[in-house]
Amino acid sequence: MNKETQLDRMMGILSITAAAVLTAADYLLEFHSEYGLGTSVVEPAWLTMGSWRFTLSIHLCLFMIPFYLAGFFLLHKALSRTHRAAAVIIPVLFSYGVIMGSPFIHGVMNLNALVYKSGVRLGISAEVLTDLIENTVTGAILPGFLFHYIITWIIAPCALFFTIISGKSVFRRWTAFLNPLVFLIAGTAGLKLLPSVFAYLAPGAINKGNLAMFTLVTVKMWKRKAEPD
């Protein structure tokens, strides 16, 4: 086995591990039978969820999100075999969006839960805390949140989906569905159609999609030759 193959395998394993850990981080934040079923930013379910979950969730994201870059670099190497433009654009969009927004957004969501839960315990009214989180905090981060979300989890996955489904990659066409946006759509639709079931399945939908995507790339590159086909 040459050094390049060893490096490919190491990057694949790191990115898969990171996606699995970040899925767990999302479950720590979101796993509750009542979470995500309403339209409010504030989740009353926070009051019955342990504060340790939100703290641990923050740290799992902070320490593991950098390893996503290994997966995106491996994706670049796979795409570059057949589509050099896509090989640059798609991983760059994924990487920039993740670095710019993922730890920040994930951290704020967990801090919102900690502030709400602690504030209610200290006697601050739920209405005041809801106003603070939904208007002041959310209003402050909304532009960055939307930019991060659109770049990272809509534009980049769409570009990857159409690159694969069109046959312009080394991947089989059906694997286009192993995509974070597809998983997000399925989780969101499931919450609307079968909320009692998808309240347990939907958390971490994006990172489950990342796990599938990184696994796909890792399997494809596992025995890759050092030279292009």
Side-chain angles (χ1 to χ4, degrees):
M1 184 192 308
N2 60 48
K3 291 184 178 180
E4 185 175 0
T5 301
Q6 290 178 325
L7 180 61
D8 287 349
R9 292 182 178 186
M10 182 179 69
M11 289 191 295
I13 291 169
L14 284 173
S15 61
I16 289 170
T17 302
V21 172
L22 285 165
T23 299
D26 283 339
Y27 267 85
L28 288 170
L29 170 62
E30 303 172 5
F31 184 63
H32 190 282
S33 60
E34 300 297 325
Y35 191 100
L37 302 183
T39 57
S40 173
V41 174
V42 172
E43 298 284 349
W46 289 337
L47 295 175
T48 60
M49 299 165 68
S51 296
W52 66 269
R53 292 174 52 165
F54 308 122
T55 303
L56 179 57
S57 182
I58 290 172
H59 286 92
L60 289 178
C61 180
L62 291 176
F63 284 104
M64 297 306 293
I65 200 69
F67 296 112
Y68 268 31
L69 298 181
F72 297 145
F73 183 66
L74 199 59
L75 176 63
H76 157 75
K77 295 182 72 174
L79 292 175
S80 66
R81 299 170 70 179
T82 57
H83 199 308
R84 295 190 180 277
V88 173
I89 294 170
I90 295 172
V92 165
L93 289 174
F94 270 125
S95 299
Y96 178 78
V98 162
I99 293 171
M100 183 276 293
S102 288
F104 173 64
I105 299 301
H106 188 83
V108 169
M109 291 174 69
N110 279 279
L111 289 173
N112 283 343
L114 286 170
V115 168
Y116 185 81
K117 184 177 176 68
S118 299
V120 169
R121 188 183 71 245
L122 293 172
I124 302 174
S125 74
E127 290 77 12
V128 169
L129 292 166
T130 298
D131 180 71
L132 171 66
I133 293 170
E134 292 192 341
N135 296 316
T136 305
V137 176
T138 301
I141 70 167
L142 188 59
F145 173 83
L146 291 176
F147 185 80
H148 156 70
Y149 217 81
I150 292 170
I151 290 289
T152 320
W153 307 128
I154 297 180
I155 295 178
C158 280
L160 179 61
F161 181 90
F162 287 112
T163 298
I164 295 176
I165 206 76
S166 66
K168 298 178 180 179
S169 76
V170 296
F171 306 111
R172 295 186 179 184
R173 293 175 191 266
W174 69 266
T175 62
F177 292 93
L178 301 178
N179 181 299
L181 179 58
V182 173
F183 278 64
L184 174 62
I185 292 171
T188 303
L191 278 176
K192 300 295 184 183
L193 299 174
L194 291 170
S196 61
V197 174
F198 276 83
Y200 297 92
L201 298 178
I206 286 176
N207 284 312
K208 289 174 184 173
N210 289 326
L211 177 59
M213 179 176 68
F214 292 148
T215 301
L216 168 67
V217 177
T218 300
V219 169
K220 174 58 68 174
M221 301 295 286
W222 192 260
K223 294 183 178 181
R224 176 187 181 273
K225 297 179 181 179
E227 67 277 4
D229 288 343

